[in-house]
Amino acid sequence: AAPSHDTGKSSGRAQGGDKMKHNNIIQNSHFHKDWQRQVRTWFNQPGRKQRRRRARQEKAARVAPRPVEGALRPAVRCPTAKYNIRVRAGRGFTLEELKEAGVSPKFAQTIGIAVDHRRRNRSQQSLQENAQRLKAYMSKLILFPRKTKAPKKGDASAAEIATAQQLKGAVLPIEKKEAEIEVRKVTKDDLAQSAYKALRTAKSEARNYGKMLKREEEKRKAADEAKKMK
């Protein structure tokens, strides 16, 4: 029998799937770490809760008889087309809104009204809404006199001061109005119409609007020339 020249490489290739490839680091499982020292605890949560509550009470006593939540804010729309259906509290009232309500900007800052000189009114609707918001606030405002013995014009009387209470929540909270949806039965005309065709037609007319005007102008000139030739 002829001697075998097999060096064992073929067997090594056959078993290559079970062996480690490349010069990798030998894995070592770290099961003896002091993991309890790494864990973050939250045993101070009840104490923090009491501290926050005391801070709120101290702030309410410090700012009394003014509202706890701060100054009056305007109702504004959120930016971008995605969120402009939402109404939220803004930074401050514009100078135009204060003028519409008959309140000066300097005086407004002293009676709990936030003022923002950078914001602009883009619509008459927002101007009127926030102006009405200011007028409603002024009608409910109880203005304490700086000197009780010498009250000024617009200051509250002694009876109003005695009945005044500190407001705990937001000043004139913004109500979220849900959009009213009109519901009706589907008619035969609705079924006959195609939204896809309507959109394609409108898109085509908008794209070819200039060409259409040009054709109409050429027809008009041709008709004028035909009249002149007669």
Side-chain angles (χ1 to χ4, degrees), residues 25 50 53 67 79 84 98 116 131 152 184 206-207 209 223 227:
I25 190 171
Q50 295 297 327
R53 184 183 182 189
N84 63 0
L98 293 169
D116 185 7
K152 293 184 179 181
R184 62 180 179 84
R207 186 176 64 251
Y209 182 71
K227 288 180 180 180

Side-chain angles (χ1 to χ4, degrees), residues 177-183:
K177 298 179 181 180
E178 295 183 359
E180 297 181 359
I181 302 173
E182 183 181 355
V183 181

Side-chain angles (χ1 to χ4, degrees), residues 10-152:
S10 60
S11 62
R13 292 194 191 98
Q15 299 175 1
D18 300 327
K19 293 184 178 180
M20 181 182 291
K21 295 181 180 180
H22 311 296
N23 188 21
N24 296 330
I25 190 171
I26 299 174
Q27 294 182 0
N28 182 18
S29 301
H30 302 266
F31 290 133
H32 299 284
K33 287 185 177 179
D34 189 7
W35 64 271
Q36 293 180 346
R37 199 169 58 181
Q38 312 280 344
V39 175
R40 184 176 182 180
T41 59
W42 199 10
F43 299 131
N44 59 348
Q45 182 184 13
R48 290 280 183 89
K49 180 181 178 180
Q50 295 297 327
R51 187 171 72 180
R52 289 193 300 270
R53 184 183 182 189
R54 285 196 301 269
R56 288 193 297 268
Q57 293 173 348
E58 290 172 2
K59 179 187 175 182
R62 186 172 63 252
V63 302
R66 293 173 291 176
V68 179
E69 294 293 329
L72 176 69
R73 305 286 176 179
V76 299
R77 296 272 176 181
C78 295
T80 70
K82 183 178 181 180
Y83 299 106
N84 63 0
I85 58 173
R86 292 182 58 219
V87 180
R88 63 172 177 82
R91 183 183 181 88
F93 290 90
T94 63
L95 303 180
E96 293 84 359
E97 292 166 352
L98 293 169
K99 185 178 180 180
E100 185 72 17
V103 184
S104 66
K106 288 186 178 180
F107 180 65
Q109 292 176 341
T110 63
I111 59 174
I113 299 175
V115 180
D116 185 7
H117 66 277
R118 293 169 293 186
R119 188 167 66 86
R120 298 288 181 269
N121 290 103
R122 303 297 181 185
S123 65
Q124 190 68 20
Q125 182 182 359
S126 67
L127 175 65
Q128 294 297 330
E129 285 180 358
N130 285 319
Q132 291 297 326
R133 187 172 170 82
L134 283 169
K135 291 177 182 178
Y137 175 77
M138 295 297 294
S139 64
K140 298 178 181 179
L141 179 65
I142 298 177
L143 190 60
F144 280 49
R146 291 187 176 183
K147 296 181 181 179
T148 54
K149 294 183 179 180
K152 293 184 179 181

